[in-house]
Amino acid sequence: MTLIRRVALSTALLTYALIVLGALVRSTNSGLSCPDWPTCYGYWLLTPSEFAALPYTGYTYGQVMLEWVHRLIAGVLLGPLVLVLVGLVLWRRRERPGLLPAAAVLVGLLLVQKLLGGITVLDRNSPWSVALHLGNAMLVLAVILWIAVRAGEPVSGTVPPLFGKLVGASWVLVIAAITSAAIVAKSGAALACSTWPLCNGALIPELADPLVRANFVHRLLAGLAAVALVVVAWRARASDVPRPVSRLAAAAAGLILLEVLLGAITVWGEIATTLAVAHQALGVAVFAKLTFLWWQARAAVPSQAAVEGRGGLALRGA
């Protein structure tokens, strides 16, 4: 495994952990426990005694620390690690010139993420700002995974163009479902549809209530994503794509079906807050698997046998 690939996978793992921690911050209503940015109540490190001396904030010190640790990991750990990854790409640019555009995009997305983090706080964690913040974080994760895939050995075998398009469409549906879930969580719409699989007992509920509308749209996107990934897994077997790609497709389909089941349990048990973190953690895992699958499919190269076979057909056709 190359050094760039190791660092990229480590960065992807830290990015995943940070996204899940963000879900914990959101589910515990800790997002505004530090009302200013980039400091927290004017402090870079707020001690218990300093917090106790503050006027009543409406938050516990534990909530403040959750938000502060989230910011710490993003700024002190993930940011520098991304810069190390970009530095390695620049260092090996002659050997891996194809990674340079991805590194540039990654730096741009990281700057946007920092800006969105500030906007989210200043906009008092509005559903749309939180969704944009999460969506951009997913793009950061996707680019890091792209670098990890391209820094390794490409999968040998043929991937039909239609299969790649199906995976791409599934990717769009998954990221749309995850960002819509952030809107549902922040708007308090997690249990606006009180039954499952129907929404309030109807296939298409009354959509005048914006909370019901937000929940229903999320369910629709999640359902379409689940169907799409099952189709992708089926096509992977039917099309005889390379085995690593087929395994990733099967894993992504299995994870999203588990994610749908977890969503149903959340509604049936009315325990949205308790399962919110696990729900998002699993959703991001689906996204990561699907992203890795998509990049592997795009990076696949025809095997020597396939190349020779096509060459023989061409000669016969001539």
Side-chain angles (χ1 to χ4, degrees):
M1 186 182 293
T2 66
L3 179 60
I4 293 178
R5 185 177 172 88
R6 287 195 195 98
V7 173
L9 290 175
S10 299
T11 308
L13 184 61
L14 184 59
T15 303
Y16 174 82
L18 187 63
I19 293 172
V20 174
L21 180 58
L24 180 60
V25 169
R26 185 166 58 253
S27 66
T28 55
N29 295 315
S30 304
L32 292 176
S33 58
C34 288
D36 51 333
W37 185 89
T39 58
C40 186
Y41 295 100
Y43 294 93
W44 290 104
L45 174 58
L46 183 65
T47 65
S49 59
E50 289 166 340
F51 179 74
L54 292 173
Y56 179 69
T57 64
Y59 295 97
T60 66
Y61 186 67
Q63 288 175 298
V64 172
M65 282 297 97
L66 271 178
E67 172 62 10
W68 186 82
V69 168
H70 183 256
R71 293 185 186 186
L72 178 70
I73 293 175
V76 178
L77 296 180
L78 182 60
L81 191 55
V82 169
L83 293 179
V84 169
L85 178 60
V86 171
L88 285 173
V89 170
L90 290 173
W91 181 39
R92 299 290 180 87
R93 61 186 180 278
R94 292 184 179 178
E95 303 168 28
R96 304 276 187 176
L99 297 180
L100 280 173
V105 170
L106 181 57
V107 171
L109 287 174
L110 193 65
L111 292 174
V112 171
Q113 188 68 2
K114 298 292 184 185
L115 178 62
L116 287 174
I119 291 174
T120 300
V121 174
L122 298 176
D123 196 38
R124 302 197 61 79
N125 272 15
S126 68
W128 286 105
S129 66
V130 171
L132 287 173
H133 190 54
L134 175 59
N136 194 77
M138 307 294 282
L139 294 179
V140 169
L141 178 58
V143 176
I144 293 170
L145 289 174
W146 167 258
I147 293 174
V149 169
R150 292 303 246 180
E153 293 298 322
V155 173
S156 177
T158 56
V159 177
L162 178 59
F163 179 79
K165 291 177 181 178
L166 283 172
V167 174
S170 302
W171 187 89
V172 172
L173 286 170
V174 168
I175 196 170
I178 290 174
T179 51
S180 69
I183 295 175
V184 168
K186 286 307 299 179
S187 62
L191 296 176
C193 287
S194 59
T195 60
W196 193 94
L198 301 178
C199 178
N200 297 330
L203 183 61
I204 301 178
E206 174 58 51
L207 299 176
D209 186 340
L211 299 184
V212 173
R213 188 163 59 245
N215 193 303
F216 179 72
V217 168
H218 169 64
R219 285 191 181 193
L220 182 62
L221 289 169
L224 290 173
V227 171
L229 278 178
V230 169
V231 171
V232 164
W234 171 70
R235 288 299 302 170
R237 291 179 63 86
S239 303
D240 195 28
V241 300
R243 192 168 182 182
V245 174
S246 181
R247 284 200 298 262
L248 282 170
L255 283 175
I256 201 167
L257 292 177
L258 183 59
E259 172 77 343
V260 170
L261 177 60
L262 190 58
I265 293 172
T266 300
V267 176
W268 292 334
E270 297 185 359
I271 45 178
T273 301
T274 306
L275 292 181
V277 178
H279 194 51
Q280 177 157 315
L282 192 54
V284 179
V286 171
F287 176 81
K289 281 283 186 184
L290 181 57
T291 301
F292 209 79
L293 164 65
W294 196 14
W295 295 155
Q296 286 279 31
R298 289 173 63 89
V301 295
S303 62
Q304 187 61 34
V307 171
E308 291 174 355
R310 285 203 296 268
L313 287 173
L315 288 173
R316 286 195 293 272

